[in-house]
């Protein structure tokens, strides 16, 4: 199928924009690869230190077996990363079966936005991505690995690991998922209880019961938020094995796929004949494919923030105009909560990512001619894994959706576009995701109520102050101000106001979770208020127009442009809960439109 003209045009635009940075990057990783297997350049003393803890240390000292570095986000507090506890043992055994060795090179932190929502710890969340990249870089800096396995799932973890993998782009790398937990209390029922609690209709005991029934076992949360959007992204970009993203933990298939990932990591080192440095996988076509997947699945807005930072690590420069143009031409093919009632297990059973990739390829909306860790192009990702005689094999995936309420072909989608729009106007630049927003709410014009943190909004709600149509503005929430926390804890109360018949929207220089849903939210507004962005000029009562149809975000006050920017005392955001250690990140962070990254 001929590549769609917009996909072709956007890819060329990214390639041209990135020509100098990408060329310099490829030169760097080619030079690093030319030096050959890294262990060969270590002294005997260096090597002895590196192998001393291994049972099979003689294998490394006396042979040319590939040595695989494991970078893991394991901890046993977070359900998504708990399954990784067993993975090093599985990986070492699989490596031995494939004539290789494996070592845990290092661990990276993995925090959960679901735990820190609305709390001070959330102000460290975005920059944990940069810390993860740095920690993974430290692990890989030992220079003893022929390839790497990256074990991570959730919000900032995968983007941080990609930044590190890109920085070590001469090393072949395979990303290894852990899988979602089995389905629990349906996400829409959990959301109803949250709204009932926000409205004072049920007590905390009922809320706790619903939350525990939803988040109930090891594995990723089952709604389609940032964690599962990350897993989709890794498959669309050719960094997971085909069909591996949404296989439940603790199953025979999950373990077999982990073993297969090890086998592949051992086979693509420079010691063999199938050398595949990850920097060559991470080209502009792979990132375009990832954006296409994001739009076709209705994925998390957080990836609009993360993808530019991830791409920059590989010399590829993305802009939110790329997301906008791709979204305008990619159909929404999936309905997964909060964009529908299904969870990711239902989505996987209906045909999942393999089905979507097949139909998007046939529609000319994906680059097939990419390099992937599976070998060959993206067509490999239309297959699905099966167990045959105790081994995993890949067979042709389904051409038909098993549930057209969850998954549809590109020729008969749920919506003609991906539902993400760039917003540009006198308030700056930002984005809005409307795939779960009713069409009659895509344009909101209402007076502004201006706040400087989400607790003020909650207090106003409890006081009964919201009685008319309102655009809630929450500013000084950008990366330079306080680390750009998610404002997801505002979703239940804004939903209550909307259900009361009010026209409601959110405008912020902060983030909104991948779990955001039916309330219009203009997010990532840049420049941010703390850097003198025009959002700092807004006053209570200003008429604001949020237009997701035409991509506008405007204050309609006649004197708006001539106003001075308001300031805000940011001292309370600088200390406590570790925030004092992150001052350097806040000072160095780029605008949200460039990924809000402090290390690139």
């Amino acid at each position: 199928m001929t590549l769609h003209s917009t996909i072709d045009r956007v890819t060329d635009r990214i390639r041209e924009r990135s020509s100098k940075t990408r060329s310099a990057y490829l030169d760097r990783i080619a030079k690093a690869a030319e030096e050959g297997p890294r262990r060969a350049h270590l002294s005997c003393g260096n090597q002895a230190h590196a192998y001393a803890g291994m049972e099979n240390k003689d294998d490394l000292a006396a042979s040319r077996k590939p040595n695989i570095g494991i970078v893991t986000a394991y901890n046993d507090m977070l359900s998504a990363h708990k399954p990784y506890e067993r993975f090093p043992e599985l990986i070492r055994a699989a490596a031995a079966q494939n004539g290789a060795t494996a070592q845990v090179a290092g661990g990276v932190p993995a925090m959960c936005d679901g735990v820190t929502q609305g709390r001070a710890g959330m102000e460290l969340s975005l920059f944990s991505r940069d810390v993860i990249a740095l920690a993974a870089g430290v692990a890989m800096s030992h220079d003893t690995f022929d390839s790497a396995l990256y074990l991570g799932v959730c919000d900032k973890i995968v983007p941080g690991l990609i930044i590190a993998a890109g920085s070590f782009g001469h090393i072949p790398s395979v990303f290894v998922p852990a899988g979602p937990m089995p389905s629990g209390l349906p996400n829409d029922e959990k959301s109803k209880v949250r709204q009932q609690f926000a409205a004072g209709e049920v007590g905390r005991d009922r809320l706790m019961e619903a939350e525990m029934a939803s988040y109930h076992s090891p594995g990723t949360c089952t709604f389609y938020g940032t964690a599962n959007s990350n897993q989709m992204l890794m498959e669309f970009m050719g960094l997971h094995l085909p069909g591996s993203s949404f296989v439940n933990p603790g199953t025979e298939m999950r373990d077999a796929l982990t073993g297969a990932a090890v086998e592949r990591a051992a086979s693509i080192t420079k010691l063999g004949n199938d050398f595949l440095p990850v920097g060559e996988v991470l080209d502009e076509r792979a990132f375009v494919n990832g954006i296409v997947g994001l739009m076709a699945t209705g994925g998390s807005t957080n990836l609009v923030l993360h993808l530019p930072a991830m791409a920059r690590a590989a010399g590829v420069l993305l802009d939110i105009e790329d997301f906008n143009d791709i979204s305008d031409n990619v159909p929404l093919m999936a309905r997964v909560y909060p964009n529908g009632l299904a969870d990711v297990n239902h989505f996987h059973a209906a045909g999942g990512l393999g089905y979507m990739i097949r139909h998007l390829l046939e529609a000319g909306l994906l680059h097939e001619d990419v390099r992937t860790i599976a070998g060959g192009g993206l067509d490999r990702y239309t297959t699905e894994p099966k167990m045959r005689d105790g081994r995993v094999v890949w067979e042709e995936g389904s051409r038909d959706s098993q549930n057209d309420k969850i998954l549809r072909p590109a020729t008969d989608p749920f919506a003609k576009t991906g539902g993400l729009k760039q917003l540009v106007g006198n308030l700056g630049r930002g984005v809005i995701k409307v795939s779960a927003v009713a069409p009659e709410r895509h344009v909101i014009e209402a007076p502004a109520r201006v706040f400087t943190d989400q607790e003020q909004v909650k207090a106003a709600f409890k006081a009964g102050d919201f009685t008319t149509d309102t655009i809630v503005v929450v500013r000084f929430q950008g990366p330079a101000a306080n680390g750009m926390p998610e404002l997801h804890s505002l979703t239940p109360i804004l939903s209550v106001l909307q259900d009361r018949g009010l026209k409601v929207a959110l405008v912020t220089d902060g983030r909104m979770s991948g779990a955001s849903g039916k309330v219009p939210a203009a997010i990532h507004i840049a420049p941010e208020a703390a850097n003198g962005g025009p959002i700092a000029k807004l006053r209570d009562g200003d008429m604001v127009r949020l237009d997701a149809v035409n991509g506008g975000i405007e204050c309609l006050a006649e004197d708006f442009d001539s106003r001075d920017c308001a300031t805000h005392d940011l001292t309370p955001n600088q200390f406590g809960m570790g925030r004092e250690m992150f001052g350097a990140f806040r000072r160095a962070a780029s605008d949200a439109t460039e990924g809000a990254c402090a290390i690139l």
Side-chain angles (χ1 to χ4, degrees), residues 76-89:
D76 64 5
M77 186 191 80
L78 304 182
S79 63
H81 294 90
K82 168 68 174 176
Y84 285 136
E85 185 172 17
R86 298 174 54 244
F87 277 39
E89 181 181 356

Side-chain angles (χ1 to χ4, degrees), residues 51 80 100 122 132 155 168 177 209 219 228 240 250 256 275 296 420 445 512 529 551 567 584:
Y51 312 152
M122 174 57 84
I132 288 160
D155 298 48
F168 287 80
E209 178 186 352
N228 287 316
H240 277 176
F275 180 49
L420 187 109
E445 186 174 310
M512 182 60 81
T567 59

Side-chain angles (χ1 to χ4, degrees), residues 104-319:
V104 175
V108 302
M111 67 179 292
C112 179
D113 292 356
V115 177
T116 59
Q117 286 288 353
R119 312 294 298 174
M122 174 57 84
E123 296 180 17
L124 309 187
S125 173
L126 175 59
F127 292 137
S128 76
R129 177 193 66 190
D130 297 16
V131 173
I132 288 160
L134 293 170
V138 170
M140 295 305 297
S141 71
H142 291 98
D143 212 16
T144 65
F145 306 111
D146 301 290
S147 62
L149 293 172
Y150 290 95
L151 280 55
V153 175
C154 286
D155 298 48
K156 264 52 79 204
I157 294 89
V158 168
L161 293 175
I162 285 286
I163 291 171
S167 298
F168 287 80
H170 61 288
I171 297 177
S173 301
V174 177
F175 280 67
V176 185
M181 66 179 68
S183 302
L185 180 74
N187 287 294
D188 62 320
E189 293 184 27
K190 172 195 67 182
S191 180
K192 288 177 184 177
V193 176
R194 286 180 174 178
Q195 290 187 40
Q196 290 170 342
F197 178 77
E201 298 170 2
V202 300
R204 186 169 293 277
D205 57 342
R206 177 70 184 98
L207 177 64
M208 190 65 183
E209 178 186 352
E211 298 287 0
M212 292 290 282
S214 179
Y215 308 120
H216 63 94
S217 75
T220 316
C221 306
T222 60
F223 63 85
Y224 196 52
T226 310
N228 287 316
S229 296
N230 283 339
Q231 303 308 291
M232 171 282 301
L233 187 72
M234 293 300 92
E235 203 152 326
F236 267 78
M237 291 181 65
L239 292 163
H240 277 176
L241 289 177
S244 64
S245 297
F246 299 130
V247 175
N248 299 127
T251 61
E252 180 186 26
M253 177 61 81
R254 178 81 278 155
D255 287 355
L257 285 165
T258 300
V262 178
E263 181 179 1
R264 191 62 186 150
S267 69
I268 57 176
T269 74
K270 205 171 192 306
L271 295 170
N273 298 317
D274 197 13
F275 180 49
L276 181 59
V278 72
E280 293 185 10
V281 177
L282 294 170
D283 69 5
E284 65 282 345
R285 295 168 300 171
F287 284 104
V288 166
N289 284 350
I291 297 172
V292 170
L294 183 67
M295 302 310 163
T297 59
S300 169
T301 54
N302 275 328
L303 288 179
V304 183
L305 192 69
H306 295 317
L307 273 163
M310 295 157 65
R312 191 172 291 265
V316 177
L317 305 181
L318 300 180
D319 188 87

Side-chain angles (χ1 to χ4, degrees), residues 546-576:
L546 191 167
D547 185 347
V549 176
N550 297 303
I553 182 73
E554 298 276 347
C555 175
L556 304 181
E558 292 183 358
D559 66 337
F560 181 74
D561 291 339
S562 63
R563 294 177 184 174
D564 293 331
C565 291
T567 59
H568 180 61
D569 181 11
L570 297 172
T571 304
N573 300 118
Q574 312 302 305
F575 301 96

